Amino acid sequence: MTTNQPAAPPAGPVLGVDVGGTLIKAAAVAADGEVVARLERPTPPARDPDTVLSAVGSVVETLRAQVPDRVEALGVAVPGIIDEARGVAVMAANLGWRDTPVADLLSAATGLPVALGHDVRAACVAEWRLGVAKGGSDVLLATLGTGIGAGVVSGGRLLVGSGYAGQLGHTVVDPDGQRCSCGQRGCLATIASATAVVRRYAERTGGAEHPDGTPALSARDVAQRARAGDPAAAAVWADAVGALGRSLAIAVTVFGSELVVLGGGLALAGDQLIGPVQDSLDEWLTFQRRPRVVRAAMGAESGVLGAALLGRAALEETPVT
Ligand SMILES: [Zn+2]
């Protein structure tokens, strides 16, 4: 054996964990990209750093025990302001983390190399490396869920901004609009997140019950009511689409995106979202390249797969970007 050959990359599986406010989702992903095991657990309601960290550690150990091969690394995707280079959750309010050195703490707990990433950027990496944006150099992915986040690839590089990039949901589209959780008024997320669509429909109709009395509607239900001719639903949906087109036009103009990928709960409306957002975006563009608007391919698993990609990239010491 020669000594000058670079070592072969470790061949075992890596774990990807997506830590959300509601669920901790995890998967073991083999070197060829195949998911070999999955696990999902509720996120503990106690929002203190240690409780959520030990829940993540427990998910990791349980999944590890299900995988026959030696697990090589761990990638963890988290919402909030995430400093990926330092492995620190600067602010993840849903999880009780503030300036928490998540990568170091989980590495000490599990003995694995750990890469920490932002959940939406991880989803963007998954779609960019494996999914609908594969091979693209100028891609914007927006997830439309409880809030709105974006992952931006520009010139073939993922933009991180020391953790602050991608806060598309907090671009202001209506200065006189409703107060956002961030303290500002009229942010995109107050009009076009899945949560906002449901809330705004309830405000117009006095309630959001199904006819059978089930308490909550989903954004997809509001979309279906809009399609069926419900004027309140149609107005709420049109507002969401218009606001998205406007914010996306600004982002596209800044980043030169040529593909816009929409994911999250609102994207479950499929063609009822994609086509109208494409039209709304096009209205605002003049000289710019006209990006294609498409639906994310990976659904709820993109965060987990992206986290695993981050874990594998850290292991191989090759930046994922
Ligand atoms: Zn805001």
Side-chain angles (χ1 to χ4, degrees), residues 197-210:
V197 163
V198 171
R199 190 198 68 240
R200 297 180 92 238
Y201 179 71
E203 285 166 359
R204 280 173 175 259
T205 57
E209 297 83 22
H210 283 291

Side-chain angles (χ1 to χ4, degrees), residues 91-321:
M91 192 176 65
N94 276 349
L95 309 175
W97 292 344
R98 181 176 277 270
D99 291 323
T100 307
V102 174
D104 284 350
L105 292 169
L106 283 175
S107 187
T110 62
L112 292 169
V114 177
L116 182 69
H118 182 256
D119 59 349
V120 177
R121 278 194 291 278
C124 181
V125 165
E127 292 287 356
W128 178 38
R129 290 301 187 210
L130 306 170
V132 73
K134 190 171 177 179
S137 68
D138 299 294
V139 177
L140 187 148
L141 172 138
T143 56
L144 316 168
T146 312
I148 296 179
V152 178
V153 173
S154 190
R157 294 190 64 85
L158 184 73
L159 304 185
V160 177
S162 304
Y164 286 85
Q167 298 289 336
L168 184 73
H170 299 290
T171 52
V172 174
V173 291
D174 179 5
D176 301 319
Q178 287 189 320
R179 187 73 70 186
C180 179
S181 60
C182 76
Q184 188 52 269
R185 273 192 188 282
C187 293
L188 176 65
T190 67
I191 300 171
S193 65
T195 307
V197 163
V198 171
R199 190 198 68 240
R200 297 180 92 238
Y201 179 71
E203 285 166 359
R204 280 173 175 259
T205 57
E209 297 83 22
H210 283 291
D212 66 3
T214 314
L217 285 174
S218 68
R220 188 185 195 177
D221 295 328
V222 177
Q224 281 169 351
R225 289 186 181 198
R227 194 203 297 258
D230 176 336
V236 166
W237 195 255
D239 285 351
V241 164
L244 274 170
R246 192 165 178 176
S247 275
L248 287 170
I250 294 168
V252 161
T253 303
V254 173
F255 298 120
S257 318
E258 54 180 358
L259 184 68
V260 170
V261 182
L262 301 182
L266 210 68
L268 294 175
D271 292 345
Q272 208 182 335
L273 180 75
I274 301 300
V277 168
Q278 176 85 65
D279 293 344
S280 172
L281 170 58
D282 284 349
E283 271 180 38
W284 294 103
L285 301 179
T286 54
F287 66 91
Q288 299 92 332
R289 291 193 291 198
R290 300 203 162 217
R292 236 168 9 104
V293 179
V294 298
R295 186 175 160 187
M298 295 181 169
E301 197 156 53
S302 58
V304 168
L305 296 176
L309 285 169
L310 296 176
R312 172 95 42 207
L315 188 63
E316 295 173 359
E317 294 181 347
T318 52
V320 73
T321 56

